[in-house]
Amino acid sequence: MEKIRVELSKNLKAKPTDEGKLGFGEIFTDHMFVMKYTEGQGWHDPAIVPYGPIALDPAAMVLHYGQEVFEGMKAYRAEDGRVLLFRPEENFKRLNASNERLCIPPVDEELLLEGLKQLVNLEKDWIPHTFGTSLYIRPFIICTEAKLGVKAGSEYLYIVILSPSGAYYASGLNPVKIYVESQYVRAVKGGTGMAKTGGNYASSLKAQDIAHEEGYSQVLWLDGVERKYIEEVGAMNVFFKIGGEVITPALVGSILPGITRKSTIEILKSWGVPVSERRISIQEIYEAYQNGQLEEIFGTGTAAVISPVGELKWEDHVMEIGGGKIGELSQKLYDTLTGIQWGKLPDTMGWTQEVK
Ligand SMILES: *Cc1c(COP(=O)(O)O)cnc(C)c1O
């Protein structure tokens, strides 16, 4: 494995003192991980260097055509002081799947995991202590080649930055209000929906704005062809509990394969809860609601872990779910996942890796 060069910062920043006031992705640690790609040479010069601005040619292709991919994960501090990562190998595997779709050369997953562990270990004093807080990890790749022709680039930069982040739910799990978006779509089959790439987010802002104006916190996305089938909620995967069965949309190409989604399915199976991955329409959800069968809805993702849905608005129909309270299964999943992530529960699935 290539050796990782380390250049330490000479101006260490003051760390935040009030963990109750940490937002999300607002402050960054002292160092970052960088690695370059040059055609003919491949990925080279992995290094941990002081955090700071990067110089880019104004013609850098990422600025014009959006050739970029990213990941999102967390380092958690357990009560006994251990620093844990949750299924990080899955993030690097997905990074390469995104790379493949965006014509970005594949990375060495083992080297990146090793580099991440070294970086997190160096910055471990930045990891907050309160349950629910974490060190958010953002790996990303951008095309840096200076050229305006539309083609896959020949130069890239891989960077990892770290940001101490506050608890997503400062005062317990809160059900959110969701607006079913019937006009704009997030992704289509054959597009880039299964890749974690910035363009998917840029194109989602419009619907998000409208939902906010209407007093809703997130958008429920329908499929891009018929606007009938459920895809995701905001930037999370989505689950429905209907008549005792848990259903989540199947990964058909337009849906991001979430690691929290995968873990949720595996936990439900281990509990013997019936769970299926299939197409599910908004009409079916509405009918289940009318029949009194719609028991719970929740989103899954690294940021919120489990996000219960308390209200769903589809055209003129307002569906109130679980009386606005958190469903029993949503709460149990939240407690189990966060318990494993923050090292409170035994990791019977073998999902955590200690950084030391
Ligand atoms: C990252 C992401 C998710 C959640 O993935 P996790 O691995 O569970 O964090 C879901 N949907 C979209 C669009 C995403 O970008």
Side-chain angles (χ1 to χ4, degrees), residues 181 204-216 219:
E181 176 54 59
S204 75
L205 299 174
K206 185 80 183 164
Q208 181 72 35
D209 266 5
I210 296 170
H212 281 168
E213 275 165 28
E214 304 265 331
Y216 289 82
V219 166

Side-chain angles (χ1 to χ4, degrees), residues 70-72 91 94 186 193 196 201 232 234-237 256-261 300-303:
F70 68 96
E71 270 303 322
N91 290 88
R94 184 171 67 190
R186 192 192 80 91
K196 223 167 163 71
Y201 281 74
E232 296 197 48
M236 289 182 286
N237 296 110
L256 201 286
I259 295 158
T260 322
R261 173 189 182 278
T300 65
T302 296

Side-chain angles (χ1 to χ4, degrees), residues 25-26 84 89 109 117 126 130 139 210 213 231 286 355:
E26 290 171 13
L84 302 173
E89 71 287 355
E109 295 168 26
K117 286 181 173 171
W126 283 92
T130 320
I210 296 170
E213 275 165 28
E231 300 238 307
Y286 185 58
V355 173

